[in-house]
């Protein structure tokens, strides 16, 4: 692509996808063109496209109508820009060649950690926080989370009616590697009889007591469990699916592990359902579209104001910005008070 001396802003989406990524891209490009008369290009597949110099045009016609589309029109990957033939020099060289003077990186912890290293090496980057898990610090919410909660809640409402018909205990497994926000919110919304999250180890006896008490009241017990949950007898989260590209165990399957245990101990017939990537697919909720659009527009403001090394963030109802390091290093876990509040409704 020829840049004729006019510099562009490059956009990339990196890490696991989530609904709302396209709304960010649209917000960036619309405001950037309308207000600042800037030019944009998209990198394909996250840092992979930055390292390989693989770009696509992002003009107004390319972002038309995409706020409601799930996924990302740019593609994503879990590529680390410092691995293989990557590195800050390579990124700088490619940007120069392609006529790109700054980057907007949309991603979670891994993406922002890489962005911080590149910023430290002098590359101009602003960040936009993204995770369905809502596990990033220094922002009240990340987009994608509300959609995942909505999907999980609807799924549990459905599990409820079949559970009720058969008098069964239904276990719904939701995402949440290190934090239980999706489980907490969807469980509370769906009226679950227990919410099991990575932050709170629980005994099988306690879990079965909640199941029995719901059953004794004539209810079909509904349990929501985050994939990263550990019984008090477990050292690590349940994993039977090998490692991902970052060498982290791929989680999933704790619901299938708990269901026969619950059935054996309580005598209540039990079924487990793992929602998996359904929670990351499809159209974003209105809340996520609005949040993502506002993040996108704020990110282009950050570029204009040269706020390198900072990510846009939500504080109450305002969009602000924080240093990458404030968002990294410590996860946004479910506080004890939020769990205790939810636990009043268990059993
Ligand atoms: O980080 C978001 C997340 O959806 C986690 O909840 C989950 O453990 C992981 O990504 C799944 O990753 P992948 O899409 O690579 O299987």
């Amino acid at each position: 692509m020829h840049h004729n001396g006019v510099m562009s802003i490059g956009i990339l989406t990196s890490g696991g996808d989530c609904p709302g990524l396209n709304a960010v891209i649209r917000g960036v490009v619309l405001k950037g063109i309308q207000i600042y008369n800037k030019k944009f290009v998209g990198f394909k597949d996250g840092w992979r496209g930055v390292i390989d110099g693989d770009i696509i045009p992002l003009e107004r016609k390319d972002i038309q109508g995409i706020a409601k589309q799930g996924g990302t029109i740019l593609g994503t990957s879990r590529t680390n820009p410092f691995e293989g033939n990557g590195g800050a020099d390579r990124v700088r060289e490619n940007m120069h060649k392609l006529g790109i003077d700054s980057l907007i990186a949309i991603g979670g912890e891994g993406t922002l950690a890489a962005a911080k290293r590149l910023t430290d090496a002098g590359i101009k980057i602003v960040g936009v926080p993204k995770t369905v898990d809502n596990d990033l610090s220094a922002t009240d919410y990340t987009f994608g989370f509300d959609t995942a909660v909505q999907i999980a809640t609807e799924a549990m409402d459905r599990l409820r009616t079949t559970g009720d018909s058969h008098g069964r205990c239904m276990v719904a497994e939701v995402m949440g590697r290190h934090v239980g926000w999706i489980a907490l919110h969807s469980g509370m919304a769906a009226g679950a009889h227990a919410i099991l999250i990575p932050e709170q180890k629980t005994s099988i006896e306690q879990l079965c007591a909640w199941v029995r008490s719901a059953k004794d009241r004539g209810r079909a017990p509904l349990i929501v469990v985050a994939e990263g949950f550990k019984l008090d007898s477990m050292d690590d989260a349940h994993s039977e699916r090998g490692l991902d590209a970052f060498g982290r165990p791929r989680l999933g399957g704790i619901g299938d592990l708990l269901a026969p245990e619950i059935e054996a101990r309580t005598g209540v017939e039990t079924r487990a359902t793992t929602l998996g990537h359904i929670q990351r697919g499809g159209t974003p909720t209105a809340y996520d579209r609005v949040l993502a659009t506002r993040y996108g527009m704020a990110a282009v403001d950050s570029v204009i104001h040269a706020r390198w090394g900072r990510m846009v963030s939500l504080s109450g109802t305002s969009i602000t910005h924080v240093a990458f390091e404030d968002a990294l290093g410590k996860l946004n876990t479910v506080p004890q008070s939020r769990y205790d509040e939810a636990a009043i409704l268990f059993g």
Side-chain angles (χ1 to χ4, degrees):
M1 194 182 300
H2 229 274
H3 51 84
N4 303 325
V6 182
M7 299 301 267
S8 309
I9 299 167
I11 308 177
L12 62 131
T13 53
S14 161
D17 77 330
C18 73
L21 287 167
N22 287 326
V24 177
I25 297 167
R26 175 174 165 275
V28 168
V29 174
L30 275 188
K31 184 163 186 185
I33 292 174
Q34 297 258 101
I35 305 296
Y36 301 119
N37 199 22
K38 288 286 178 189
K39 291 212 171 321
F40 297 89
V41 294
F43 283 101
K44 292 282 292 163
D45 309 332
W47 296 114
R48 207 273 306 152
V50 181
I51 298 308
D52 294 345
D54 191 357
I55 56 175
I56 56 168
L58 274 184
E59 289 175 22
R60 194 169 173 140
K61 66 173 170 26
D62 301 306
I63 49 95
Q64 252 161 222
I66 64 168
K68 58 181 144 344
Q69 261 173 46
T72 162
I73 60 166
L74 299 178
T76 186
S77 70
R78 295 199 189 271
T79 302
N80 179 338
F82 287 93
E83 264 167 23
N85 57 353
D89 290 342
R90 171 85 183 206
V91 171
R92 199 179 294 109
E93 203 180 289
N94 279 350
M95 287 173 67
H96 181 74
K97 238 190 286 178
L98 297 164
I100 296 165
D101 57 4
S102 57
L103 301 179
I104 295 177
I106 312 168
E109 260 228 305
T111 307
L112 296 174
K116 175 164 173 16
R117 275 182 76 185
L118 291 169
T119 311
D120 291 346
I123 293 161
K124 298 171 173 174
I125 311 181
V126 305
V128 179
K130 170 245 55 157
T131 89
V132 277
D133 291 355
N134 198 39
D135 59 358
L136 266 184
S137 291
T139 183
D140 286 355
Y141 285 105
T142 51
F143 64 89
F145 170 67
D146 185 69
T147 305
V149 168
Q150 185 66 31
I151 294 168
T153 302
E154 282 167 14
M156 278 188 260
D157 289 348
R158 288 175 195 279
L159 291 175
R160 246 286 154 63
T161 69
T162 162
D164 277 334
S165 306
H166 290 265
R168 286 170 174 160
C169 170
M170 303 304 277
V171 178
E173 181 184 308
V174 299
M175 279 187 169
R177 167 173 285 276
H178 301 293
V179 306
W181 286 109
I182 296 178
L184 185 84
H185 279 219
S186 63
M188 198 178 233
H193 298 105
I195 297 172
L196 308 175
I197 61 175
E199 295 88 334
Q200 300 280 343
K201 280 191 173 186
T202 308
S203 68
I204 188 76
E205 290 79 18
Q206 172 63 78
L207 173 56
C208 289
W210 286 324
V211 168
R212 271 191 213 97
S213 114
K215 183 73 180 167
D216 290 349
R217 283 183 293 108
R219 307 302 311 278
L222 175 67
I223 310 298
V224 54
V225 56
E227 60 181 4
F229 167 75
K230 297 183 279 279
L231 282 169
D232 60 359
S233 55
M234 295 163 65
D235 289 331
D236 298 308
H238 180 69
S239 170
E240 55 191 7
R241 298 169 183 178
L243 304 178
D244 71 10
F246 277 111
R248 304 176 310 182
R250 288 184 58 208
L251 303 183
I254 181 73
D256 287 316
L257 196 93
L258 293 176
E261 275 290 310
I262 294 170
E263 184 166 308
R265 286 166 185 261
T266 62
V268 181
E269 197 182 0
T270 304
R271 295 284 189 270
T273 302
T274 300
L275 298 184
H277 289 80
I278 287 173
Q279 295 161 94
R280 292 213 325 237
T283 185
T285 59
Y287 178 91
D288 275 339
R289 291 182 212 184
V290 172
L291 180 60
T293 303
R294 294 180 75 204
Y295 273 161
M297 293 195 294
V300 80
D301 292 341
S302 282
V303 170
I304 300 300
H305 292 101
R307 296 184 187 125
W308 315 125
R310 298 183 73 79
M311 97 181 177
V312 295
S313 103
L314 179 71
S315 173
T317 55
S318 304
I319 308 286
T320 175
H321 46 88
V322 297
F324 286 159
E325 52 265 36
D326 293 345
L328 300 170
K330 104 177 161 350
L331 289 174
N332 174 32
T333 51
V334 173
Q336 187 69 39
S337 59
R338 287 296 310 272
Y339 178 78
D340 291 345
E341 174 190 71
I344 295 169
L345 310 167
F346 293 178

